[in-house]
Amino acid sequence: MIVPDLHTALDHHFGFAAFRAGQHDALDATLSARDALVVMPTGSGKSLCFQLSALLLADTTLVISPLVALMKDQVDALVARGKRATYINSTLSAEEQQNKLNILARGWYKIVYVAPERLRNAAFLDALKHTRVALLAVDEAHCISQWGHDFRPDYLRLREFADALNRPPMIALTATATPQVQTDIIAQLGLRAPIKIVTGFNRPNLALRVRYTPDDDAKRRELAALLREHTGSAIIYAGTRRGTEEISAFCGEVTRAPAAFYHAGMADDERTRVQDAFMRDKIKIIVATNAFGMGVDKPDIRAVIHYAIPSTVEAYYQEIGRAGRDGEPARVVLLYSPKDRELQEWFIENDAPEPRQVAHLYQILQRAKNWVSPGYLQRATNLNDSKLQLALRQLELAGALKRLGDARGLIGVEVTPNVTLNLAESEAETEKRRAHRRKLLAQIIAYAETNQCRRQFILRYFGDAGNADAPDCCDNHRAATTAPTRRAESAEEWVPLVILETARTLQRQVGTQKLAQILHGSHAQEILQFGYTRHKFYGKLADYRVGEIENVIEQLLKQGYLKTIGGKYPVAQITPLGEETVNTRAAIAIELPRAPSPTARAETHHTRQAGGTVARTLALVQQGKLPAEIAQERDLAISTIYGHLEQLVTEGKVLADQLVPADVREQICAGMREWNGQWLSDLKARLPAAITYEQIRLVVAAEKKK
Ligand code: ADP
């Protein structure tokens, strides 16, 4: 066909002045009967690619889309512009459906939207026999891929369906497809040498942030801070239904304004009410599970905050994409705790029906009629909708039933009775899917934990080679501009730098407690064992107690110089902000627990020189000092000093003679002859009360040594 001047057509049909990135290329493809795969984020104008094509092509364009609600909106908008558009789906009465099928068969419509279930509907397929299809548009094309996040078995019928239509040119569109899913879409749909258009993933007005919040307290603190400095509408995504309710109550307290929650467990009308209130600015903050957002096209959402990590980068991108649709600056913040992965892992391990549930469903179906309501099956089997669909598919694969399609809200099945169920294939499929989902989870965790540019991470993830510029890019990028600049001078100001440098240079990363132990110079087994003593800063902060160092580490975490990452055993890692600060040796505003006194500092110095705390005690004994004097000088408990002495006596480095007067020694030795050697208290009871336990211990150690 003759390709018209596309700009004129765009203006004529839609009143738009210019194409957005990718649109022109997509139209070039469809209008010259080439297949195309379009990957562009939500809101970037994918629909226009097939809508304008449809209006310019002579025959009918069929659009497959699973989003029944959006379908109506799009058709209404087209009809309002006087275009011959319609949709055919189960929300229409049987009569209306038939009516439309008749008109479709006459070839009057330019564009017809249907849901994928329709591909199983005989009347529809019949009507198509009389229709010339100019273009088959597959929206939400990732649904065909088992590797996508929203696999729909019905999409697998598409290839056959296209063949039955004499294989019209196809355009597949999706907002979320990794390069792997893109390849899969092409293969599953059988696209022929498609033009690939991957563009528009950079949303420069979204400032990307990750806050490292190791526990719930930290999350609440961070969330409260965000809410206080933030005005405008915000969505907060939580991991669980209960989470949405609790967090919305918390938000209400912080902002002193009502916040709503939203999840799939609520009644439909309640959900609609909440969504409406949010859309009309009656409520500024909505706390929701991922059930919220499909079709939420509110332009002025200023923040999307994730209270926990989502399951995939695709899901995350989709959810943050709801912020700043108006192009004005908006913030997206992920509150990240390494522990969050556990919830996601749980979802993955529980994503499929168990074999006994599939067998149970089979029993129920054998007793049921050919047409059953999904609600009834869900209640009878205790499976949610997606698991029910998977169970039906497993039975289909096992040859136990045939699906007849869906009609009037009922599922049509033809059951083959008494099949011995072999679900091995399904099990293998499930395991494969889980392995894949674990990989996807690892990717979103990598996003959360990276020290690199987050925007580039996302673009690369989707295979978008475009530029990743943005005025306010991400927290990792901001490091250079937000780091402190005054150089550290005093010994106290060096403390945080020493901690950061250690975190940066340790061969094996460690948790916050171990990091403190290393800096303190602890002799704990696991510190000695793994060679941490060889680190240049081992014992560098020996002036401080372990707990005090941990306190400083906490502050560094809170201020974003360090972060905790990892899985079950989180480790402390330096952030770009921390790196920048170490590199410039800048002073960080930290509250030190206490400045060590000059004597304490001298003592630390001597101890290190002597080669440890016991060796230091030995040195003082050799100078002729008494235990009490040593304890005072070293600011240690006398019992600690006696502990050292006992060790020294046992090792033969000190003689009991030096420490215990001769007559006391004799009395103790005499007592020992009648003593069974077990309880020190027995021995003490035989001796004059003036003789102390410490003296007894030293003499006993000396005698044993002999
Ligand atoms: P997607 O399907 O990618 O999520 P839509 O097709 O719904 O996005 O488009 C989002 C909005 O952008 C719609 O309101 C649409 O009318 C508008 N739009 C699409 N293309 C253009 C364009 N070239 N110029 C201006 N607005 C456009």
Side-chain angles (χ1 to χ4, degrees), residues 30 96 200 226 283 336 377 422 453 455 475 481 503 563 622 629 659 677 706:
T30 52
E96 280 172 311
L226 286 168
I283 294 172
Y336 177 67
L377 290 179
N422 175 5
C453 171
R455 194 171 301 271
D475 48 324
T481 53
K563 57 186 178 180
Q622 282 164 348
E629 289 173 297
L659 301 160
K706 278 186 194 160

Side-chain angles (χ1 to χ4, degrees), residues 493-508:
E493 285 175 342
W494 273 93
V495 169
L497 293 176
V498 166
I499 296 175
L500 293 177
E501 178 64 5
T502 309
R504 173 161 82 166
T505 51
L506 276 177
Q507 296 261 320
R508 285 162 52 105

Side-chain angles (χ1 to χ4, degrees), residues 10 16-20 23 40-48 74:
L10 178 69
F16 295 150
F19 283 107
R20 290 195 183 152
Q23 289 179 330
M40 278 160 47
T42 306
S44 58
K46 281 186 297 301
S47 322
L48 186 115
Q74 291 207 1

Side-chain angles (χ1 to χ4, degrees), residues 427-580:
E427 289 278 283
E429 209 180 84
T430 301
E431 195 28 59
K432 228 165 104 186
R433 191 180 56 243
R434 285 183 183 156
H436 179 70
R437 287 186 61 187
R438 285 183 210 115
K439 261 199 240 157
L440 295 179
L441 178 60
Q443 286 290 321
I444 183 70
I445 290 172
Y447 169 82
E449 297 191 341
T450 187
N451 272 359
Q452 312 288 315
C453 171
R454 301 194 196 281
R455 194 171 301 271
Q456 235 144 25
F457 184 104
I458 289 180
L459 296 198
R460 241 184 295 126
Y461 184 87
F462 289 107
D464 182 343
N467 86 43
D469 297 343
D472 182 354
C473 182
C474 66
D475 48 324
N476 286 341
H477 244 99
R478 269 159 50 96
T481 53
T482 52
T485 49
R486 186 175 65 76
R487 268 181 84 95
E489 285 161 7
S490 65
E492 282 72 36
E493 285 175 342
W494 273 93
V495 169
L497 293 176
V498 166
I499 296 175
L500 293 177
E501 178 64 5
T502 309
R504 173 161 82 166
T505 51
L506 276 177
Q507 296 261 320
R508 285 162 52 105
Q509 294 188 326
V510 294
T512 52
Q513 194 191 5
K514 229 181 231 176
L515 182 58
Q517 285 177 313
I518 293 168
L519 286 159
H520 174 72
S522 152
H523 287 86
Q525 191 57 33
E526 68 270 25
I527 301 293
L528 303 178
Q529 199 176 340
F530 291 110
Y532 293 119
T533 50
R534 285 195 298 276
H535 189 272
K536 62 178 173 179
F537 286 164
Y538 173 76
K540 181 90 178 165
L541 300 182
D543 291 349
Y544 296 92
R545 297 196 194 96
V546 172
E548 291 170 337
I549 302 172
E550 274 189 89
N551 177 295
V552 178
I553 294 175
E554 278 301 311
Q555 296 181 55
L556 291 172
L557 282 168
K558 257 182 221 163
Q559 296 190 34
Y561 293 93
L562 284 176
K563 57 186 178 180
T564 45
I565 60 166
K568 241 194 185 120
Y569 305 103
V571 296
Q573 195 187 64
I574 194 163
T575 62
L577 177 64
E579 297 239 18
E580 180 71 24

